[in-house]
Amino acid sequence: MNVPASERRLYIKTYGCQMNVYDSERLADTLRPLGYRLAEDPAGADLVVLNTCHIREKAAEKVYSELGQLARLKAQKAAAGEAMLVAVAGCVAQAEGAEIVARQPAVDLVVGPQAYHRLPELIARTHRAAGERLAADFAPEEKFDSLPERTSSAVTAFLTVQEGCDKFCSFCVVPYTRGSEFSRAPAAIEAEARALVARGAREITLLGQNVNAYAGEGGLAGLIRRLAKIPGLARLRYTTSHPRDMTDELIGAHAEVEALMPYLHLPVQAGSDRVLKAMNRGHTAGDYLRLVEKIRRARPDIALSGDFIAGFPGEREADFEATLDLAREVAYASAFSFKYSRRPGTPAAQAPGQIPEALKAERLARLQAVLEESQAAFNAAQVGRVLPVLIDKPGRDAGQVAGRSPYLQAVHGQGPQSLIGQVVPVRIASAGRNSLAGALQLAPA
Ligand code: 5AD
Ligand code: SF4
């Protein structure tokens, strides 16, 4: 390509989880030394990276449809004498690298989640020739050690502390796409956290596919206590947790560490022991409910969030009703729910008793009705309370600012933009399904 290095433009489209959002930021950091600056859209880019998600079928299909559009754009640009590279990163790249290149010849590069630090090299090679295309090997330590310093400057930031999963839930591709569990060293995490705070972060969310399986010294509870001491860091969160790894130390941290926010994403997936067993979850519905009780004893106001799958193979009406019962009993503050999606290579994809699409859709709708009701009730319960809100961006309307409550609810109200980055008390006046509105309690000037 003959574009001067100083004018290269990069467009990254991110699908899926927060881990991908974090990885995309880091990808942009990795490519900055090669002269890449962010572009507004693919048309204005010399390099387009799709950072993909493979967790459900729809997610992967969206990638192929986006690639079809990019192939047309690339052809138009080529006709105008402009080059554009197309790279596929993330879990689809890991899971079906060779197939992507076969299905969409416009793809120049495929790079799995453990090989991002090699992207500059791969791009440099591709600039020269049609060189190496696949870099989907596993070496997580190398990845973290090789990525450059963080450059983002947001009020809230993600920080990956753990990657991969050894749980092998029978429906899930993550153990195959992200590899086995790996934890970064506490000192490296603390250094990254301090750098983020120095750049303006007031809240950090620790990320991991199984973040509470964090195996660095002191475990996740130790890490949280360590990071909570960083001056200027107001809030800590972590996600996603597995019920089996919810230790007493971590529950204790929720009672004692002020910076640790009263919010916990604790997927259960189903409420029937038969289905939980077939899912290879390693816990029963009773185990989960007892755990929730223990957590609520430590931190009574904690907001619980979960993930659910409706229509897992072999799920009977009675099993599904057990899921509804569990959802009602826990009364989640928020939740994600999905129709079971058959992922090639996972044991459940082979299982007998696959549920027809229409029945899955019907169950999902019933489940979502229950989950929405408890979310609305949780939000409504905040009306009249004064909540500390970390203001993190301008609001939608003029003169508004927006932020998050301790329970991760979106909150907005009238206030000056200068409050961005501050924790401000807000008297909650009204609650919608997805957000709260209130009056900022500002000290008189
Ligand atoms: N089908 C439907 N949902 C799935 N999830 C993971 N794999 C599948 C699948 N095959 C959901 C789980 C998980 C969340 C990230 O995605 O609920 O917790
Ligand atoms: Fe997938 Fe289960 Fe691991 Fe979560 S714990 S990433 S659902 S295998």
Side-chain angles (χ1 to χ4, degrees), residues 194 197 227-234:
R194 284 185 183 274
V197 172
L227 299 179
K229 296 195 188 108
I230 298 177
L233 181 58

Side-chain angles (χ1 to χ4, degrees), residues 184-203:
R184 298 176 67 193
I189 295 166
E190 186 185 331
E192 191 170 333
R194 284 185 183 274
L196 286 167
V197 172
R199 290 181 169 279
R202 302 293 320 279
E203 170 179 298

Side-chain angles (χ1 to χ4, degrees), residues 165 167-169 171-172 174-175 209-210 242 269 281:
C165 180
K167 300 289 187 292
F168 290 93
C169 298
F171 51 81
C172 185
V174 168
Q209 260 92 28
N210 263 296
H242 194 290
Q269 315 295 358
R281 289 286 295 173

Side-chain angles (χ1 to χ4, degrees), residues 98-294:
E99 194 185 325
I100 297 169
V101 182
R103 230 172 116 170
Q104 185 45 267
V107 173
D108 300 284
L109 284 165
V110 176
V111 50
Q114 305 307 341
Y116 292 156
H117 57 291
R118 295 191 51 211
L119 196 64
E121 172 203 334
L122 290 171
I123 286 177
R125 280 175 190 272
T126 313
H127 279 309
R128 287 191 209 125
E132 186 178 350
R133 277 185 151 190
L134 295 171
D137 48 2
F138 287 86
E141 319 75 356
E142 215 180 299
K143 162 180 165 174
F144 287 112
D145 292 347
S146 322
L147 289 174
E149 289 264 302
R150 300 291 298 268
T151 57
S152 97
S153 58
V155 172
T156 60
F158 294 126
L159 201 175
T160 296
V161 305
Q162 181 276 341
E163 261 198 87
C165 180
D166 299 334
K167 300 289 187 292
F168 290 93
C169 298
S170 63
F171 51 81
C172 185
V173 288
V174 168
Y176 311 98
T177 56
R178 290 276 171 168
S180 55
E181 287 175 5
F182 167 80
S183 297
R184 298 176 67 193
I189 295 166
E190 186 185 331
E192 191 170 333
R194 284 185 183 274
L196 286 167
V197 172
R199 290 181 169 279
R202 302 293 320 279
E203 170 179 298
I204 293 180
T205 301
L206 307 178
L207 294 181
Q209 260 92 28
N210 263 296
V211 74
N212 60 346
Y214 176 75
E217 204 192 324
L220 186 62
L223 184 66
I224 286 167
R225 288 177 190 275
R226 177 171 179 159
L227 299 179
K229 296 195 188 108
I230 298 177
L233 181 58
R235 293 181 164 189
L236 278 165
R237 303 179 185 276
Y238 60 93
T239 196
T240 289
S241 296
H242 194 290
R244 275 167 58 191
D245 294 318
M246 208 59 219
T247 62
D248 289 350
E249 289 73 31
L250 187 54
I251 296 172
H254 274 287
E256 290 162 19
V257 180
E258 207 189 322
L260 182 58
M261 290 294 103
Y263 176 93
L264 175 63
H265 184 62
L266 192 66
V268 66
Q269 315 295 358
S272 142
D273 289 346
R274 238 188 96 246
V275 171
L276 286 168
K277 188 155 199 270
M279 286 178 163
N280 192 33
R281 289 286 295 173
H283 62 80
T284 63
D287 294 336
Y288 184 89
L289 291 171
R290 277 186 294 278
L291 179 59
V292 163
E293 231 184 88
K294 203 182 204 181

